[in-house]
Amino acid sequence: MSGGIDARLAGAVRRAQRVAVLTGAGISAESGIPTFRDAQTGLWARFRPEELATPEAFERDPRLVWDWYEWRRGLVAAAAPNAGHRALARMQARVGRFTLITQNVDGLHQRGGVTDVVELHGNIHRNKCFAEGVVCEGRPDEGERPPRCPRCGAPLRPDVVWFGESLPAAALARAEAAARDCDLFFSIGTSAAVYPAAQLPVTALQSGAILVEVNKDPTPLTRLATFSLLGPAGDLLPRLVGAAWPAE
Ligand code: OAD
């Protein structure tokens, strides 16, 4: 089903007591961070993220992969949360139980005011040891690219989930519990193509929740969604939150 922001949708959002939200790269697109499945620009245009975000790529050419993440870190550092991130922080303040699950590694939800974020794919600001997986706090010495683990000397890698790797178990368990136990689930700015994250909206639907999708383009979820809002999240989410809780 599809439609705009009407009274039925605004009422469903206002009445919801347990809300779970899944976000993807689309919510940060209006902050200037490229999504995964849109074309890259400039220097990196000839690489596909799927070719760089793998353990095999890092083993083959650690500097290339490190430098790509350094480029993404630079974009994230220069970016600011947008109106979509901020609208979700306002929603958090209004809803009894609110769980924000993200596939993004950019930390923009936290900077936008959401206090508890379930990060399914890690965080680009952290590094961990490629050999042992131990997280390395702080910014490592920049002498070498990639820098080395201070404990064992193996190269450091970003603490993000790469293709072919498992998701952090605790984060996935929290996300699945929230999907099973919500009355309203939002899928926002994700192509719903990468599992297990893409299963979460389906789990919520099967558990009886209302599913609201917000995306610039249709996805495989669109035909399943109870409400589908087609357009930019930075425009639609503030309008939806404003319609659900009009200023008193
Ligand atoms: P994708 O790049 O696959 O999808 C982004 C989605 O956002 C698309 O459906 C776009 O149409 C939509 N979109 C773009 N701009 C938007 C806007 N302003 N407002 C609303 N929607 C917009 O990104 P993800 O679904 O996040 O995983 O990708 C999932 C995972 O695949 C990523 O976390 C990453 C990647 O491989 C790992 O790195 C493990």
Side-chain angles (χ1 to χ4, degrees):
M1 195 187 293
S2 157
I5 301 175
D6 59 12
R8 215 164 58 86
L9 172 57
V13 173
R14 186 170 51 246
R15 283 190 298 275
Q17 293 180 350
R18 299 182 309 281
V19 172
V21 179
L22 172 69
T23 63
I27 187 127
S28 295
E30 290 159 81
S31 295
I33 301 177
T35 66
F36 283 89
R37 283 162 188 81
D38 291 334
Q40 306 275 308
T41 50
L43 180 62
W44 298 102
R46 64 206 166 94
F47 295 102
R48 291 169 48 228
E50 295 89 329
E51 289 164 2
L52 294 171
T54 69
E56 295 74 27
F58 190 77
E59 266 171 341
R60 204 163 44 237
D61 194 342
R63 178 176 291 195
L64 174 75
V65 174
W66 180 263
D67 285 352
W68 185 63
Y69 277 96
E70 281 294 275
W71 172 72
R72 293 190 71 92
R73 283 174 172 145
L75 289 177
V76 168
N82 64 54
H85 295 106
R86 291 194 298 273
L88 289 173
R90 290 202 294 284
M91 191 185 291
Q92 166 190 251
R94 295 289 192 159
V95 173
R97 188 162 1 131
F98 181 85
T99 309
L100 195 142
I101 306 154
T102 190
Q103 299 166 87
N104 299 346
V105 297
D106 57 29
L108 285 179
H109 284 301
Q110 291 90 330
R111 286 170 57 196
V114 177
T115 44
D116 181 17
V117 179
V118 180
E119 293 183 318
L120 284 182
H121 292 168
N123 190 300
I124 201 170
H125 298 295
R126 277 192 313 263
N127 290 300
K128 65 181 181 184
C129 171
F130 185 64
E132 296 174 339
V134 178
V135 171
C136 172
E137 298 294 344
R139 183 120 186 116
D141 172 24
E142 286 297 314
E144 245 179 305
R145 300 193 335 257
R148 294 192 169 272
C149 171
R151 280 164 45 105
C152 75
L156 288 176
R157 54 163 282 183
D159 187 10
V160 300
V161 175
W162 281 337
F163 287 97
E165 294 185 320
S166 313
L167 274 61
L172 182 58
R174 275 193 72 193
E176 286 172 340
R180 276 195 306 270
D181 186 36
C182 64
D183 45 31
L184 198 148
F185 191 101
F186 280 99
S187 178
I188 303 172
T190 174
S191 59
V194 175
Y195 285 81
Q199 182 60 35
L200 296 168
V202 178
T203 299
L205 258 185
Q206 287 169 344
S207 309
I210 293 169
L211 175 61
V212 182
E213 181 178 56
V214 179
N215 202 302
K216 199 167 62 64
D217 305 300
T219 76
L221 277 184
T222 308
R223 63 180 183 82
L224 302 176
T226 323
F227 298 95
S228 163
L229 297 177
L230 277 181
D235 169 42
L236 290 168
L237 288 174
R239 290 207 284 125
L240 179 55
V241 170
W245 295 280
E248 277 114 349

